[in-house]
Amino acid sequence: MNKLELIDLHVNVEGKEIIRGINLTLPAGKIHALIGPNGSGKSTLANAIMGHPKYKITSGSIILNGKNITAAKANLRAKEGLFLSFQYPSEISGLSLPAFLRTAVNNLREEGTKYSVVEFHAILQKKMKELGMDPSFSRRDLNAGFSGGEKKRAEMLQLSLLEPKYALLDETDSGLDVDALKLVVECIQKIKAKTNLALLLITHYHKFLEFLQPDLVSVIHDGKIIKQGGKELAKQIEQDGFAKLINSGN
Ligand code: ADP
Ligand code: MG
């Protein structure tokens, strides 16, 4: 029951079918890696799971802890414990990072337990320190002028503040140097130990999987899962590339 489940999911983007019948399970507390060549539909799948209005689910269903959320709005999905870290986080000048984060966090909290600006400031400073982010980020606008690595860290900051049950991380490793990657991994492990977080990890970087040790690995190509296995599958693809698997008749 405690899982995120995709059943024969089909997704259209701008009238074109990109996801063509995907079955996938992310059990609570587990790590499921989703790997595949560029343009295979990974980001489309992640956005569709989160309920991005541009990604239209034409058939199939998304079941979260036994509840059908296929047609639910993104904010409801977030309330049910879903989180998406974008491959390309948006820059929003004029919206301060702390204001954005406080709104997001308070949105998930009950009336009477919402954080004041002062309370939230203290929490934010602590989390930023854990992530190795300079305190000056708490005075900046959301992702405005952030480097690639800084944007990814801001995404991790959101993750650690929101404490979702199921997180979809879309190439969170890209643009990070190895030290920053380790910080992100430590952050994820810390949250996971505390909250039993489940992760759908979209990545091209094998090192990330070596650090995080996925329980399951799925390979996506042209909107379909062409192979599933354990972490040894990711290792094999790291060595052989995707072409061999794609050309082997799958
Ligand atoms: P991946 O993340 O695996 O690289 P994407 O999901 O980004 O793949 O893209 C899969 C396909 O869907 C591509 O052909 C891409 O051009 C198309 N696509 C994805 N998002 C959009 C969009 N917002 N508008 C138009 N086409 C899109
Ligand atoms: Mg992508």
Side-chain angles (χ1 to χ4, degrees):
M1 194 75 152
N2 282 338
K3 59 189 172 188
L4 170 67
E5 212 178 352
L6 309 181
I7 303 166
D8 195 23
L9 201 70
H10 292 252
V11 180
N12 276 18
V13 185
E14 312 210 324
K16 185 166 175 247
E17 183 166 70
I18 305 293
I19 297 300
R20 305 184 303 131
I22 282 194
N23 294 291
L24 192 137
T25 302
L26 174 60
K30 300 287 185 196
I31 299 182
H32 193 148
L34 180 67
I35 58 178
N38 289 325
S40 53
K42 302 180 297 296
S43 295
T44 299
L45 186 65
N47 280 291
I49 297 172
M50 198 63 220
H52 191 303
K54 203 168 170 184
Y55 300 80
K56 302 244 179 326
I57 296 168
T58 52
S59 69
S61 38
I62 306 172
I63 313 290
L64 184 61
N65 292 341
K67 195 168 175 174
N68 191 328
I69 58 156
T70 315
K73 292 232 157 56
N75 64 337
L76 202 138
R77 295 179 201 218
K79 280 207 164 113
E80 295 288 335
L82 263 185
F83 172 84
L84 168 63
S85 169
F86 293 107
Q87 181 173 5
Y88 303 110
S90 303
E91 299 193 10
I92 307 182
S93 298
L95 174 61
S96 84
L97 179 68
F100 166 75
L101 292 171
R102 190 169 74 95
T103 304
V105 170
N106 278 344
N107 193 34
L108 300 184
R109 298 181 70 85
E110 300 296 328
E111 265 336 303
T113 67
K114 297 189 192 282
Y115 294 122
S116 69
V117 171
V118 174
E119 284 165 340
F120 191 72
H121 180 78
I123 295 166
L124 187 60
Q125 290 299 327
K126 183 168 166 268
K127 294 280 185 193
M128 284 178 39
K129 201 170 171 197
E130 284 172 11
L131 274 170
M133 288 177 87
D134 193 275
S136 66
F137 276 87
S138 69
R139 290 189 296 274
R140 291 177 64 176
D141 287 350
L142 181 61
N143 292 323
F146 286 22
S147 71
E150 287 165 352
K151 283 181 187 166
K152 297 294 169 172
R153 265 191 249 192
E155 295 285 295
M156 288 305 98
L157 189 56
Q158 275 185 61
L159 175 67
S160 70
L161 286 163
L162 294 171
E163 296 190 349
K165 296 188 182 76
Y166 299 88
L168 321 168
L169 303 188
D170 194 357
E171 300 203 20
T172 294
D173 45 48
S174 73
L176 297 181
D177 59 44
V178 96
D179 297 324
L181 184 73
K182 279 189 182 151
L183 265 175
V184 166
V185 167
E186 278 167 21
C187 165
I188 291 170
Q189 283 167 336
K190 210 180 272 177
I191 301 165
K192 209 168 170 302
K194 190 176 161 197
T195 66
N196 198 34
L197 173 72
L199 294 166
L200 185 71
L201 279 188
I202 297 173
T203 181
H204 283 300
Y205 195 20
H206 192 66
K207 198 106 207 129
F208 200 41
L209 296 181
E210 278 177 9
F211 284 138
L212 284 170
Q213 296 284 316
D215 302 285
L216 298 152
V217 175
S218 291
V219 182
I220 180 173
H221 171 61
D222 202 11
K224 288 184 172 176
I225 303 292
I226 57 165
K227 193 156 179 133
Q228 287 192 310
K231 55 178 183 276
E232 68 289 342
L233 176 58
K235 180 96 198 148
Q236 183 200 328
I237 286 165
E238 167 73 3
Q239 284 161 8
D240 301 347
F242 290 113
K244 197 171 163 186
L245 187 65
I246 292 164
N247 296 330
S248 70
N250 276 295

